[in-house]
Amino acid sequence: MHISSHTRTLTRRTLLGVGGLAALGGTVAAWPRLAGQDIPGRGEDVLRVAIQGTAQDAAARQDLADEFTAENPDIPVRIEAIQAVDWGDFFTKILTMVASGTAPDVVYVATEGAQLFAERLAEPLDDWITHDEAALENYFEDVHPSLIEAFMYQGSLYVLPLDFNAANMYLNLPTLERAGLDFPSPDWDIDEFEQMLRTMRDTAEGGFVPYFWTNRLFGGIVPWLYANDTSILTEDRFSGGDWLWDRFYTPELTAERRGGYRWTSSNVSDPRVVETFERLQGWVNEGLSIRPEEGGGNSLIGLFASDRIGATPAGGYWAQGLHENGMSDEDVDVQYFPRWRSQRHQFGTAGYSIMRTSERKEQAWRWLEFTTRKESMELAMPVPTTTPTRRSMVDEAFYRETGPRNWKVFYDTLDDFPSSGPIPAPPQQAEVENALARNVALGMSGGPAQLETALDRLDRELTVAMEKSS
């Protein structure tokens, strides 16, 4: 089967203009190293699949690659792990590889890069999906439409999501017991949460912090903005998507679904955004929360496991890590994010995309279709280091060894709060996240006047970023 490509022209100027890559002019000589051209065998005739991670992460996917090649002996696969600080750094390295002519065929893309890839790098999957409709029916029946729409852009789908995580609230159970507190109900609200933090603080010994959060798009201030029924960017939807919704889902499941999320301008002037920043700054100043840590919070699991943190937002990806750090379901549990004006949750998701520059698109599509099968996903995700997008995989057996007891919230978040949405990540995601991180750090480190300064600057920087051509 051959399906015509929707490839757009990828000029060197276009690629170097994204995410600060214009600054690479002085590093052209280093491209072979950055892009891996100097790695032996890189030019072999194989399907190259790039993931963010280490050589150990690539080795963990080798069984999946071997199963695929056993079924498709004409398509050898190489899993290429690219080490990066975060998703933004990973995307920058992929862009560098494209600019140097050494791009992979397939890339594992998270929500943070969904629209960047859709706008510039990835092949739309619409024709492939409609052609192989029968093979994909079981996949779509098993995957919540919220996760699908997160990877739609202007009505087309660019990624088949395989794993996701919503920002739920993890709670340290010994800390709750020490404070004489019961585990919260699913419909708890922000006032109950705040009082819980105060009680934890007042009954704790030194070196304890009630609430820990990271300074990034996922799990930072954004979940509180969503709960307060607002966001840093104005949010709309693209039209379209009916070609998929009508084919795979019932109308009652997709009545509110469209052709993907559309973020257009700064929304920082919304009073609810200001209110959210003020509330969290108050927690910092009152000793209920740390000043947020920028990045992924690498020290967080250890601190939580040593009972030095009472609560923190995270997803199902934490289950295995906490288990490996000695925590059982008697030590930790998880609940929905607290309600404010709404109980809308934030989530992020990820899956494979086909690069427009690839000369192996048909082979790449066979890889994508193969990885959506339940047996393939079970091979790729044998333990809960993330939440599978297939509902049927998120069951008691999956969490039997690790906990938490309330594991059902991981998928039920999507069912119980269908308005939950993805990380606000337009094609200018790098500029958006950098502006947010800078100004959250500034705003949370001073008083009301400094917070006002930080919000004014955030509004200006987001306005500039969103006015740039994507």
Side-chain angles (χ1 to χ4, degrees):
M1 177 191 69
H2 176 75
I3 295 177
S4 61
S5 170
H6 297 259
T7 303
R8 303 180 191 179
T9 301
L10 295 174
T11 66
R12 183 175 182 275
R13 178 181 178 185
T14 296
L15 291 164
L16 295 181
V18 181
L21 285 178
L24 285 175
T27 65
V28 172
W31 274 353
R33 175 177 56 81
L34 290 172
Q37 288 175 287
D38 55 340
I39 297 176
R42 180 59 60 90
E44 294 178 11
D45 185 18
V46 297
L47 184 71
R48 295 172 51 210
V49 178
I51 63 170
Q52 183 194 170
T54 64
Q56 184 177 359
D57 296 314
R61 287 168 171 79
Q62 191 56 50
D63 287 346
L64 183 66
D66 291 344
E67 285 293 320
F68 174 79
T69 301
E71 182 177 311
N72 301 275
D74 58 323
I75 311 177
V77 175
R78 175 180 291 115
I79 308 294
E80 299 180 0
I82 299 174
Q83 289 187 267
V85 175
D86 53 24
W87 282 110
D89 186 35
F90 174 70
F91 300 144
T92 296
K93 291 180 178 181
I94 294 294
L95 286 161
T96 304
M97 295 170 74
V98 174
S100 63
T102 59
D105 302 294
V106 175
V107 177
Y108 203 75
V109 178
T111 312
E112 288 88 339
Q115 296 199 358
L116 168 65
F117 272 69
E119 180 71 23
R120 302 191 174 202
L121 300 173
E123 182 81 359
L125 303 178
D126 308 12
D127 291 343
W128 304 99
I129 290 169
T130 54
H131 184 275
D132 287 346
E133 176 179 346
L136 291 167
E137 281 182 356
N138 177 263
Y139 166 78
F140 285 107
E141 287 175 359
D142 209 11
V143 176
H144 198 282
S146 291
L147 304 174
I148 301 298
E149 190 179 16
F151 277 120
M152 276 192 163
Y153 186 65
Q154 297 181 358
S156 289
L157 186 63
Y158 287 84
V159 172
L160 295 172
L162 301 178
D163 77 282
F164 83 101
N165 291 281
N168 299 123
M169 190 66 71
Y170 277 79
L171 296 159
N172 184 291
L173 298 183
T175 298
L176 284 177
E177 183 179 0
R178 181 179 63 203
L181 296 168
D182 294 328
F183 191 75
S185 65
D187 64 345
W188 64 326
D189 62 28
I190 188 171
D191 294 327
E192 293 175 85
F193 178 79
E194 187 173 292
Q195 185 55 49
M196 180 192 75
L197 298 184
R198 289 198 180 94
T199 305
M200 285 180 173
R201 179 198 60 190
D202 295 343
T203 56
E205 299 176 355
F208 174 82
V209 59
Y211 182 58
F212 188 109
W213 52 298
T214 54
N215 188 8
R216 56 178 180 168
L217 280 175
F218 183 84
I221 199 167
V222 174
W224 292 108
L225 292 165
Y226 279 23
N228 203 15
D229 201 24
T230 189
S231 181
I232 55 171
L233 300 176
T234 57
E235 182 182 296
D236 198 356
R237 299 292 229 290
F238 289 108
S239 61
D242 291 345
W243 65 271
L244 186 143
W245 305 130
D246 294 346
R247 181 172 275 108
F248 295 107
Y249 291 95
T250 59
E252 56 268 23
L253 287 176
T254 59
E256 302 300 321
R257 303 294 163 194
R258 299 292 183 270
Y261 287 82
R262 181 172 179 257
W263 295 283
T264 54
S265 60
S266 172
N267 193 48
V268 175
S269 61
D270 180 1
R272 293 182 183 181
V273 172
V274 177
E275 179 185 33
T276 305
F277 273 78
E278 289 176 342
R279 188 86 176 240
L280 269 67
Q281 186 197 56
W283 294 348
V284 171
N285 292 340
E286 195 180 337
L288 303 179
S289 166
I290 64 156
R291 292 191 181 96
E293 177 177 315
E294 191 164 341
N298 293 329
S299 62
L300 182 51
I301 285 183
L303 292 171
F304 198 87
S306 60
D307 300 339
R308 293 171 62 188
I309 294 170
T312 191
Y317 60 84
W318 244 36
Q320 183 69 22
L322 291 173
H323 173 70
E324 291 173 356
N325 275 266
M327 298 196 85
S328 72
D329 59 11
E330 296 182 355
D331 301 313
V332 62
D333 211 343
V334 64
Q335 187 54 281
Y336 293 133
F337 208 80
R339 174 172 48 84
W340 199 340
R341 285 186 172 86
S342 78
Q343 209 166 355
R344 186 190 194 208
H345 282 58
Q346 175 199 46
F347 66 79
T349 182
Y352 291 107
S353 66
I354 300 174
M355 295 291 282
R356 292 181 193 165
T357 52
S358 173
E359 297 179 355
R360 302 176 179 85
K361 291 186 178 67
E362 293 184 22
Q363 296 178 350
W365 170 249
R366 285 159 71 179
W367 170 264
L368 263 67
E369 187 277 322
F370 175 83
T371 58
T372 65
R373 301 176 193 173
K374 186 173 182 179
E375 57 270 26
S376 299
M377 290 179 63
E378 289 173 337
L379 191 61
M381 291 173 268
V383 295
T385 55
T386 187
T387 310
T389 56
R390 278 184 171 268
R391 182 191 304 272
S392 62
M393 290 177 61
V394 184
D395 58 16
E396 186 176 1
F398 194 55
Y399 297 98
R400 183 173 294 126
E401 296 295 322
T402 65
R405 292 175 181 171
N406 204 24
W407 55 265
K408 289 184 179 180
V409 305
F410 295 139
Y411 215 103
D412 285 354
T413 294
L414 303 177
D415 293 327
D416 292 346
F417 310 105
S419 66
S420 295
I423 294 164
Q428 306 92 330
Q429 177 270 336
E431 293 96 327
V432 168
E433 184 157 25
N434 290 337
L436 180 66
R438 279 193 301 269
N439 291 293
V440 166
L442 175 64
M444 296 298 143
S445 60
Q450 187 160 311
L451 178 58
E452 183 178 0
T453 298
L455 288 171
D456 287 344
R457 191 174 77 171
L458 176 59
D459 189 36
R460 292 195 304 271
E461 291 179 357
L462 291 180
T463 297
V464 171
M466 297 305 293
E467 287 175 350
K468 290 181 180 178
S469 171
S470 59

